[in-house]
């Protein structure tokens, strides 16, 4: 699951669509392929809360656009001063025609070092800049990286949901399994559980304040909790806009290096 897909979801399906006839793979594909506008722009706060209740507030802005079949996303920290200017660029590609995976390209810019570094595939499950979200959450995870199983249905927070299991095909993945509660009416993710290589649950996701704007569904608040460390990150979108003109030059490594992303 990625932050951009959790935040930016599609129009409701037509009333005549049969919910019960879908396989796990079909549900996963519909979640993955939800339209989120040609472009989107988000500002958000990130509140990091440790086990003692001490909190730190960060503010970010995120820009995304579809360059043909490639989804490009760039996120920049605006505050506080110690992380301001840190930016992350990712290119997410569709799976190849034969079903094989073309891994995303990702770069992180650290203004204190005036340096861009590539984020390798093995680091995608690492925490993103001290938050409880991962680098993989910041982009769009390829369907080809997982196998899927429909575990059943359940009412969660008054909403009828599928319970969908994602199992990483890479046996060395730090997050071996994800279980997601997917709202049947619109494919919005409502809840998630994350498991390590030993099969132990170590993180939980809660999605709240779900609204429809400009014809798209948005989850305006997400809380990711590490149940081992009792640390959590609360993501709250303060502004969400779709289909606005964006400068595509922002989505380049040179834009990171020149600190163009604000």
């Amino acid at each position: 699951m990625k932050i951009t897909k959790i935040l930016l979801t599609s129009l409701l399906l037509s009333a005549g669509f049969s919910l019960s006839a879908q396989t796990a793979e079909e549900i996963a594909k519909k979640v993955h392929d939800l339209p989120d506008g040609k472009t989107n722009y988000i500002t958000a706060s990130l509140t990091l809360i440790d086990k003692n209740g001490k909190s730190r507030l960060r503010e970010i802005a995120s820009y995304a656009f579809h360059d043909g079949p490639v989804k490009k996303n760039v996120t920049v920290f605006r505050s506080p001063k110690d992380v301001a200017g840190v930016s992350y660029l990712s290119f997410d590609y569709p799976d190849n025609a034969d079903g094989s995976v073309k891994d995303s390209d990702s770069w992180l810019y650290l203004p204190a070092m005036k340096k861009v570094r590539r984020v390798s595939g093995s680091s995608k499950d690492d925490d993103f800049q001290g938050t409880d979200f991962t680098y993989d959450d910041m982009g769009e995870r390829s369907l080809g990286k997982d196998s899927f199983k429909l575990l059943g249905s359940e009412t969660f927070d008054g909403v009828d949901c599928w319970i969908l299991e994602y199992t990483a095909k890479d046996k060395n993945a730090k997050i071996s399994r994800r279980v997601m509660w997917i709202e049947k009416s619109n494919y919005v993710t409502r809840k998630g559980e994350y498991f390590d290589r030993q099969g132990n649950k170590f993180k939980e996701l809660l999605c709240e304040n779900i609204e429809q704007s400009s014809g798209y569904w948005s989850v305006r608040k997400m809380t990711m909790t590490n149940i081992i460390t009792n640390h959590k990150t609360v993501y709250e979108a303060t502004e969400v806009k779709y289909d606005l003109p964006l400068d595509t030059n922002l989505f380049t490594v040179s834009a990171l290096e020149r600190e163009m992303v604000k």
Side-chain angles (χ1 to χ4, degrees):
M1 289 297 301
K2 316 299 175 212
I3 285 180
T4 54
K5 278 301 170 192
I6 296 172
L7 286 172
L8 309 171
T9 55
S10 73
L11 292 168
L12 288 171
L13 297 179
S14 63
F17 189 79
S18 173
L19 296 176
S20 62
Q22 297 179 86
T23 66
E25 289 75 16
E26 289 169 337
I27 296 168
K29 189 173 191 308
K30 289 182 181 296
V31 172
H32 181 274
D33 292 346
L34 290 171
D36 53 13
K38 174 64 177 177
T39 66
N40 54 70
Y41 165 73
I42 303 166
T43 59
S45 65
L46 288 170
T47 305
L48 284 63
I49 305 171
D50 68 17
K51 63 181 180 180
N52 298 314
K54 184 178 179 181
S55 64
R56 293 177 291 159
L57 179 64
R58 298 178 175 182
E59 294 180 315
I60 64 171
S62 180
Y63 306 81
F65 93 107
H66 291 270
D67 187 6
V70 181
K71 176 73 174 291
K72 297 184 177 181
N73 186 87
V74 61
T75 298
V76 61
F77 284 87
R78 289 179 168 175
S79 68
K81 186 176 180 180
D82 62 330
V83 294
V86 172
S87 49
Y88 178 68
L89 173 67
S90 65
F91 294 173
D92 298 311
Y93 305 100
D95 290 345
N96 297 316
D98 62 0
S100 60
V101 173
K102 179 173 173 53
D103 204 6
S104 60
D105 288 315
S106 305
W107 302 265
L108 181 70
Y109 175 69
L110 301 172
M113 301 176 64
K114 299 291 183 182
K115 182 178 180 181
V116 173
R117 69 174 180 86
R118 183 179 284 272
V119 180
S120 67
S122 61
S123 301
K124 297 293 177 68
D125 280 344
D126 291 346
D127 291 343
F128 176 70
Q129 293 298 296
T131 74
D132 295 284
F133 295 98
T134 66
Y135 284 92
D136 213 16
D137 291 326
M138 305 304 295
E140 188 169 295
R141 185 175 173 85
S142 167
L143 285 172
K145 291 184 176 182
D146 297 306
S147 57
F148 311 99
K149 183 178 181 180
L150 186 57
L151 301 182
S153 298
E154 183 176 273
T155 299
F156 175 74
D157 198 23
V159 175
D160 194 13
C161 296
W162 283 296
I163 305 174
L164 186 63
E165 180 184 67
Y166 296 69
T167 300
K169 293 179 180 177
D170 180 1
K171 301 304 181 184
N172 294 317
K174 295 177 184 177
I175 301 176
S176 65
R177 191 163 61 95
R178 299 164 172 86
V179 179
M180 299 295 171
W181 278 251
I182 309 296
E183 185 172 344
K184 291 182 178 181
S185 66
N186 56 14
Y187 293 91
V188 176
T189 298
R190 306 293 302 231
K191 174 185 174 181
E193 297 180 346
Y194 298 73
F195 298 80
D196 62 20
R197 283 194 292 259
Q198 288 72 45
N200 301 311
K201 184 171 71 172
F202 72 102
K203 288 201 303 184
E204 294 179 337
L205 171 70
L206 178 64
C207 301
E208 302 174 281
N209 297 353
I210 297 168
E211 302 175 357
Q212 193 177 38
S213 176
S214 302
Y216 303 97
W217 289 95
S218 298
V219 180
R220 303 296 293 258
K221 180 179 180 180
M222 293 182 292
T223 303
M224 186 72 85
T225 302
N226 187 313
I227 62 177
I228 306 301
T229 64
N230 291 322
H231 189 280
K232 65 182 176 181
T233 302
V234 182
Y235 179 111
E236 293 189 84
T238 53
E239 184 177 21
V240 181
K241 295 182 178 180
Y242 304 90
D243 296 323
L244 296 178
L246 290 179
D247 181 1
T248 57
N249 291 321
L250 293 177
F251 301 88
T252 61
V253 174
S254 63
L256 300 186
E257 294 172 325
R258 294 159 60 190
E259 301 187 13
M260 291 173 57
V261 187
K262 304 292 185 182

